[in-house]
Amino acid sequence: MEKFEKYTKGLSRGFEWVGVIGLLAMFAANLVDVIGAKVFKWPLPGAIEILSFSLVVAIAPAIAYGLFLGTHLRIDFIVDKFPKTLRFILGPFVSIMCTILFILISWKGFEYAHSLQISGEKGGSSHIPFFPFAYILSLSCIPVILFFVLETIKSLKAKR
């Protein structure tokens, strides 16, 4: 159990660094666009699309590590008011439902990414293919799924 938690947290931390790269790409694209437009009268072609793609890379991979840090919003303030028995039942149920949700998001995301890859769809002005970003979004669900599996196991082992 401890190894699984350590592995999941390490994987989430690794994905977070992918998010940092996305954030740096957003910064670089914005910097090049502004300097190009103001100094050289030549903005970065497809800057909005590049920023949008970078935003996906910045946010999606960092979700799981944010869950580990506890920075995501939760409804704990409502659940804390429930009787202890009900909390004991709801804990695993909510974790299982979240696991199922992210499995479906990942699965359908991979299907969508594959369809984008086959169709060869690209950005209108940047000509960057869409499918790698859909794959990143789908892959980013894997550490989230592992996190909720871990949460489910922990909540089932919790004492009343």
Side-chain angles (χ1 to χ4, degrees):
M1 178 67 179
E2 210 171 284
K3 282 185 179 182
F4 180 61
E5 183 172 2
K6 189 175 181 181
Y7 171 77
T8 303
K9 195 168 192 175
L11 182 65
S12 300
R13 192 174 291 134
F15 270 72
E16 182 190 32
W17 280 106
V18 175
V20 169
I21 291 168
L23 199 60
L24 291 173
M26 286 177 63
F27 170 75
N30 203 18
L31 181 71
V32 168
D33 184 46
V34 170
I35 290 175
K38 300 296 179 188
V39 176
F40 302 109
K41 305 290 186 224
W42 188 75
L44 180 65
I48 300 296
E49 287 177 358
I50 293 170
L51 288 170
S52 299
F53 292 146
S54 299
L55 186 62
V56 170
V57 176
I59 292 175
I63 291 172
Y65 197 61
L67 286 168
F68 271 106
L69 294 176
T71 57
H72 288 284
L73 294 175
R74 300 189 96 149
I75 56 166
D76 290 343
F77 67 95
I78 295 172
V79 175
D80 288 343
K81 297 191 187 316
F82 292 159
K84 197 169 189 175
T85 309
L86 186 57
R87 280 186 282 171
F88 183 74
I89 294 168
L90 281 179
F93 176 74
V94 170
S95 296
I96 289 169
M97 295 309 291
C98 288
T99 304
I100 292 169
L101 173 68
F102 278 96
I103 287 171
L104 290 172
I105 291 171
S106 183
W107 170 38
K108 288 300 183 180
F110 277 115
E111 284 182 356
Y112 180 63
H114 184 69
S115 72
L116 288 173
Q117 186 176 6
I118 289 172
S119 69
E121 193 164 341
K122 297 178 181 181
S125 56
S126 67
H127 304 292
I128 297 173
F130 287 168
F131 74 90
F133 303 99
Y135 279 124
I136 288 171
L137 186 62
S138 299
L139 278 173
S140 297
C141 289
I142 293 171
V144 176
I145 293 166
L146 295 175
F147 172 83
F148 283 118
V149 167
L150 188 63
E151 280 256 315
T152 303
I153 293 168
K154 282 182 179 179
S155 62
L156 288 172
K157 285 186 174 183
K159 293 183 182 179
R160 289 184 186 192

